[in-house]
Amino acid sequence: MDDRLPADATRARVGVTIDNEREVRALNAWFQRWGPRIRRMDDLGCGCCVDAWDVVAPAAALAELPPGVVSLALHA
């Protein structure tokens, strides 16, 4: 398997509030679909109300996420 990221890979923060079931399902499905093609850092959320990760992912992957789930990473 080729684990190199494409040239258009972007750093971003993806995150959800735990009580937003639609966003949680969307992000879990996204990780399942794109997992082998993204790099995920440690969970930055508190675990009680927010889950968030800084990731490096193809632009096409980030474009699939609902608005509000993805933003630019704070650490470049």
Side-chain angles (χ1 to χ4, degrees), residues 3 17 22-23 33-34 36 39 48 52 56 59 63 69-70 72 74:
D3 65 351
T17 53
R22 182 186 65 81
E23 287 184 354
R33 175 177 159 84
W34 289 97
R39 295 220 171 87
C48 68
V56 179
V69 172
V70 63
L72 293 179
L74 298 179

Side-chain angles (χ1 to χ4, degrees), residues 2 8 17 19 31 35 37 54-55 70-72:
D2 185 358
D8 72 341
T17 53
D19 62 353
F31 277 130
R37 292 175 272 180
D54 281 343
V55 298
V70 63
S71 61
L72 293 179

Side-chain angles (χ1 to χ4, degrees), residues 6 15 21 29 46 54 67 70 75:
E21 292 180 30
C46 62
D54 281 343
V70 63
H75 304 92

